[in-house]
Amino acid sequence: YQGDKVFRARELFEQALQEAPADLCKRFYLLLEKFEEDHGDPRRALSALDRFCAVAPTGELMDAYLLYITKAEEFFGVSRAREVFELAIEKLEDPAHVCQLCIHYAEKERRLGEIDRARAILRHGSQVADPRTALGYWRNWNDFEVAHGNEDTFREMLRVKRTVGVRFTDTNYSVARPGAASRRALAATARSATKPETDARESQATTS
């Protein structure tokens, strides 16, 4: 349709999505996202990815959210990307994927200079990172503190690691999927972690 019959094209996409078998839905959602990106509204493009994430099989969910995050930042900036990061952390069920996403999220905040926010994210993800098996996660946090922390923050990281290790060695402890409350806690912690940096920048601007 080359953009001149957008509404009819949307109707055809919706019809295809209703009738397509589950293993073909990914293709149609990605085509819809590209169509909306090229001819429609970026908000509709993100909506297509959001819908795909809601129905994607477990094996494709991580890649689906990574694409959603990339497009959210491309269209609407880092604030929107943060919302999708936090949604993905809530929805992902595999602790390894949660750890991977938290590392990715923390690295993005680190590159933005949001060190306290990045640390809060790493601490949040650590609750599903078994120190016996998630070696990369703890190595990543260790390297982060060596580069950006101090003696107190390094000791706190080690304390959290010991506490999490005890939980995982307890046979009665099971790792639950991060839920909505966990997502809200992550968002609140990240915001509060960023506030001292923001206050400091505002104070410096006022005095200069």
Side-chain angles (χ1 to χ4, degrees), residues 62 89 92 94-106 121-122 124-130 133-138 140 168 175 178:
M62 180 68 172
I89 290 169
L92 288 171
D94 186 343
H97 286 167
V98 175
C99 289
Q100 182 182 345
L101 198 64
C102 284
I103 289 174
H104 184 39
Y105 190 7
I121 293 162
L122 289 170
H124 181 85
S126 72
Q127 301 307 302
V128 296
D130 185 344
T133 56
L135 303 180
Y137 190 90
W138 293 100
N140 187 282
F168 275 97
V175 178

Side-chain angles (χ1 to χ4, degrees), residues 1-196:
Y1 285 95
Q2 298 299 317
D4 59 345
K5 294 184 179 178
V6 171
F7 293 107
R8 177 57 180 157
R10 286 173 179 155
E11 289 177 356
L12 291 175
F13 272 117
E14 292 302 327
Q15 182 179 348
L17 285 167
Q18 290 175 10
E19 299 178 2
D23 59 340
L24 293 181
C25 281
K26 175 181 179 180
R27 176 172 175 79
F28 284 112
Y29 277 119
L30 295 183
L31 286 171
L32 176 58
E33 186 280 327
K34 186 66 170 65
F35 173 83
E36 294 293 359
E37 183 178 345
D38 291 343
H39 304 296
D41 184 337
R43 291 172 295 181
R44 287 181 175 271
L46 282 193
S47 176
L49 293 177
D50 186 69
R51 291 169 62 190
F52 173 53
C53 289
V55 300
T58 301
E60 297 180 357
L61 194 55
M62 180 68 172
D63 288 341
Y65 272 117
L66 288 175
L67 176 60
Y68 191 3
I69 289 164
T70 298
K71 291 297 184 179
E73 184 170 10
E74 178 183 337
F75 297 153
F76 298 109
V78 67
S79 295
R80 185 71 179 96
R82 283 170 176 152
E83 294 176 7
V84 183
F85 266 117
E86 289 157 15
L87 175 64
I89 290 169
E90 171 194 342
K91 296 296 185 181
L92 288 171
E93 296 186 1
D94 186 343
H97 286 167
V98 175
C99 289
Q100 182 182 345
L101 198 64
C102 284
I103 289 174
H104 184 39
Y105 190 7
E107 174 59 19
K108 182 172 289 292
E109 295 293 358
R110 185 196 68 79
R111 292 198 303 268
L112 291 170
E114 299 285 3
I115 301 303
D116 288 342
R117 184 187 285 270
R119 180 178 289 113
I121 293 162
L122 289 170
R123 181 180 182 127
H124 181 85
S126 72
Q127 301 307 302
V128 296
D130 185 344
R132 299 169 299 179
T133 56
L135 303 180
Y137 190 90
W138 293 100
R139 183 168 57 250
N140 187 282
W141 193 359
N142 181 95
D143 293 347
F144 173 87
E145 294 300 349
V146 169
H148 302 287
N150 54 43
E151 185 176 351
D152 290 338
T153 61
F154 192 85
R155 285 180 176 175
E156 177 63 12
M157 181 269 295
L158 293 177
R159 186 195 68 77
V160 172
K161 185 177 182 179
R162 287 193 299 270
T163 301
V164 172
V166 169
R167 290 178 182 170
F168 275 97
T169 55
D170 184 348
T171 56
N172 294 323
Y173 178 72
S174 61
V175 178
R177 176 177 63 84
S182 180
R183 178 189 172 198
R184 289 193 296 270
L186 173 59
T189 301
R191 283 195 299 270
S192 63
T194 309
K195 192 174 186 301

